[in-house]
Amino acid sequence: MDALPESFDNEKAQTSPPQSPALAARALDPRQKEKFDAIRLACRDHDVVALTELALSDEGLMSDNVRKEAWPILLGASRSREQCDAENEKKSSWKKLPPHPDENQVKLDVDRSFIYYPTDVTPRELGERKDELYDLIVEVLRRHPMLGYFQGFHDICQVFLLVLGPERSVTAIEHIALLRIRDFMLPTMGPALDHLQLLFPLLQAVDPKLCAHISLTQPFFALAATLTLYAHDITEYSDIARLFDAFIALDQVFPLYLFAQIVIERRDELLSIPDDEPEMLHVTLSKLPKPLDLDGLISRAIELQKQHPPHRLSTWRRVSRYSVLKATPILRNSSSKPSPAEDLAKAEILFRKHCEEMERTKRRQEMLQALQKRRKPLIVTLTVFIAVVSVGLELYNRKHHGASMSRSVMLGVGGLWRILKG
């Protein structure tokens, strides 16, 4: 691991994207210096517990200088220089790998990137950043071709690129894609929508009146924010970097709890919208309020998750056992401490199993739909068939057994008809 800078006092000297205005405007106070020293020590010792506490405390990790070291550790993507060199020798150049089918869409999105930040670069430097972003996304997709790109993934990647730089970002984005937002990169958006279905049961547990009011619309209003880890909606670089401190330190369901907390704190505003205007509710919920008290929201959302953990929500059972919400925490908490490459390999296996499960579900739904379409013709055919069988059995019964068994025969035919009809 590269050594951390000896001093973080001179924030203005950094050429990275703008930091917190409070930090840029003055020298660090004793409390901030103490926190920087604690972060440096935790990074040196790879102390994930300490780093997590620091990332969740007020102002998060405070500076990109320390995020550059802390984020890979929190992601489980930290590697020694020797490990990096060994892996680079094994890997062929990503440019020689087969193209990913989504590369054209990546190019279109990258052309629209870096709209709000950084603000201190020339047009030439901005073009170089976009080239780096395109290479970063395409390299990850080519190395893991099963992943499906979605619009907004570039918003997440640009934050990591600005913080970590092009070389360190590749491994970090691999971990984000496969261990954090894997469900969003599956062939369909079904699993992502399963995440959103957790929102209403959560709100119902906290505020039934508010939940009933906004349930007039679908929870799609939370899709853009949770899909992109809020990188599409938050325009201040210092805010999104601080928010990523929390997302990286906590589990994969936390972005949804943060959105729920935002909704809860907008209670009066939302209840003032008439019940017969669900479109207005959707538009309001889709836009994050400004400004956001990020430190307060994060701490309150953490408490919300403690009080109402996801496994207690009624729609939790709909989430696949291969989902990033269920399977990946087991991976990350494994006592065997697998290497970053092993983590990614296991995540790819879960990804494929999830795809297979989705394909089975799709075939089952198609079969049921086909049966539903043929239901009426099938009932007519069965009716004729059973009628013929019943007449035949009746004639046979009269001829060989007399009329005494007719009633039992007809009862049996009637039971058969009810079973087949069902």
Side-chain angles (χ1 to χ4, degrees):
M1 184 178 70
D2 295 343
L4 283 169
E6 289 300 319
S7 173
F8 300 108
D9 291 353
N10 188 8
E11 291 290 332
K12 290 184 178 180
Q14 296 187 41
T15 58
S16 59
Q19 304 292 322
S20 167
L23 289 177
R26 56 178 171 74
L28 299 181
D29 61 35
R31 181 191 61 81
Q32 290 172 324
K33 289 182 179 179
E34 182 180 356
K35 184 172 183 179
F36 273 124
D37 289 340
I39 296 172
R40 184 181 347 188
L41 180 62
C43 287
R44 187 197 69 185
D45 297 339
H46 280 228
D47 188 341
V48 176
V49 174
L51 273 180
T52 298
E53 293 178 357
L54 291 162
L56 299 179
S57 62
D58 286 354
E59 298 184 44
L61 296 174
M62 303 174 70
S63 165
D64 284 357
N65 281 343
V66 290
R67 289 185 178 110
K68 185 176 293 186
E69 305 299 332
W71 280 11
I73 296 172
L74 289 170
L75 285 170
S78 179
R79 304 176 183 183
S80 66
R81 190 166 297 280
E82 293 75 15
Q83 288 175 320
C84 290
D85 292 341
E87 289 185 14
N88 288 335
E89 287 180 5
K90 294 179 181 178
K91 289 182 178 179
S92 59
S93 171
W94 66 268
K95 294 183 179 180
K96 297 178 182 179
L97 298 173
H100 191 278
D102 295 332
E103 289 181 18
N104 288 336
Q105 185 60 54
V106 173
K107 181 65 169 63
L108 293 174
D109 287 350
V110 167
D111 287 342
R112 298 189 292 265
S113 62
F114 301 112
I115 295 174
Y116 301 108
Y117 49 78
T119 58
D120 58 347
V121 294
T122 65
R124 179 180 177 180
E125 291 171 331
L126 183 60
E128 292 173 353
R129 289 276 173 86
K130 289 184 177 182
D131 291 341
E132 291 171 348
L133 179 60
Y134 177 81
D135 287 351
L136 167 62
I137 297 172
V138 171
E139 178 173 357
V140 171
L141 292 178
R142 288 191 183 186
R143 293 200 185 283
H144 307 277
M146 77 286 294
L147 294 175
Y149 175 81
F150 64 88
Q151 287 183 278
F153 184 58
H154 72 289
D155 292 312
I156 298 172
C157 293
Q158 73 182 19
V159 178
F160 278 89
L161 180 64
L162 292 174
V163 172
L164 301 180
E167 292 185 6
R168 294 188 180 199
S169 293
V170 175
T171 302
I173 291 300
E174 286 179 309
H175 278 69
I176 288 291
L178 283 163
L179 297 169
R180 292 281 173 169
I181 59 170
R182 185 173 69 240
D183 292 0
F184 304 156
M185 308 194 80
L186 286 159
T188 73
M189 290 300 295
L193 300 181
D194 289 339
H195 288 217
L196 301 186
Q197 296 302 327
L198 298 171
L199 189 59
F200 283 160
L202 175 56
L203 293 173
Q204 174 66 26
V206 177
D207 192 333
K209 182 179 179 180
L210 176 60
C211 181
H213 185 68
I214 69 171
S215 63
L216 298 172
T217 183
Q218 294 295 318
F220 302 145
F221 51 75
L223 184 60
T226 54
L227 194 69
T228 65
L229 301 181
Y230 296 74
H232 182 72
D233 297 276
I234 292 181
T235 59
E236 291 293 331
Y237 176 78
S238 57
D239 286 345
I240 192 60
R242 191 271 170 275
L243 197 54
F244 272 30
D245 292 341
F247 288 161
I248 293 170
L250 295 168
D251 60 18
Q252 292 80 348
V253 77
F254 182 72
L256 190 71
Y257 277 84
L258 184 72
F259 197 95
Q261 186 61 41
I262 293 173
V263 172
I264 292 167
E265 297 189 13
R266 304 176 75 182
R267 185 179 195 275
D268 293 341
E269 175 191 4
L270 295 169
L271 290 177
S272 68
I273 299 174
D275 292 345
D276 57 356
E277 294 187 15
E279 296 83 4
M280 182 62 70
L281 271 172
H282 180 89
V283 170
T284 303
L285 286 162
S286 298
K287 296 179 181 179
L288 297 181
K290 294 181 180 180
L292 287 173
D293 171 24
L294 289 180
D295 287 331
L297 279 170
I298 289 169
S299 63
R300 291 188 291 273
I302 291 172
E303 187 61 29
L304 178 66
Q305 185 173 347
K306 289 179 180 178
Q307 293 176 359
H308 305 281
H311 66 271
R312 293 183 184 174
L313 303 178
S314 60
T315 50
W316 182 246
R317 57 183 175 79
R318 299 185 191 175
V319 178
S320 169
R321 59 177 173 162
Y322 304 119
S323 166
V324 72
L325 300 186
K326 289 185 176 179
T328 302
I330 298 173
L331 262 181
R332 296 180 68 241
N333 295 331
S334 172
S335 59
S336 60
K337 294 183 180 180
S339 69
E342 291 172 332
D343 268 346
L344 296 178
K346 291 178 181 179
E348 286 189 346
I349 293 173
L350 292 169
F351 186 96
R352 293 189 181 95
K353 289 183 176 180
H354 203 162
C355 287
E356 292 169 0
E357 180 185 68
M358 291 170 61
E359 185 60 31
R360 290 194 299 270
T361 301
K362 179 183 176 182
R363 289 198 301 267
R364 185 165 59 250
Q365 291 174 343
E366 289 174 347
M367 182 182 69
L368 291 173
Q369 290 172 357
L371 286 173
Q372 186 66 21
K373 289 180 180 179
R374 296 187 178 94
R375 184 172 180 268
K376 290 184 178 179
L378 184 60
I379 289 176
V380 172
T381 302
L382 288 174
T383 301
V384 173
F385 171 74
I386 291 176
V388 171
V389 169
S390 61
V391 170
L393 287 173
E394 178 69 12
L395 293 174
Y396 177 85
N397 193 43
R398 287 178 179 274
K399 180 176 179 181
H400 295 280
H401 301 286
S404 60
M405 292 185 65
S406 298
R407 176 177 172 80
S408 61
V409 170
M410 293 308 295
L411 287 173
V413 171
L416 175 62
W417 162 242
R418 286 191 294 274
I419 292 172
L420 292 174
K421 185 178 179 181

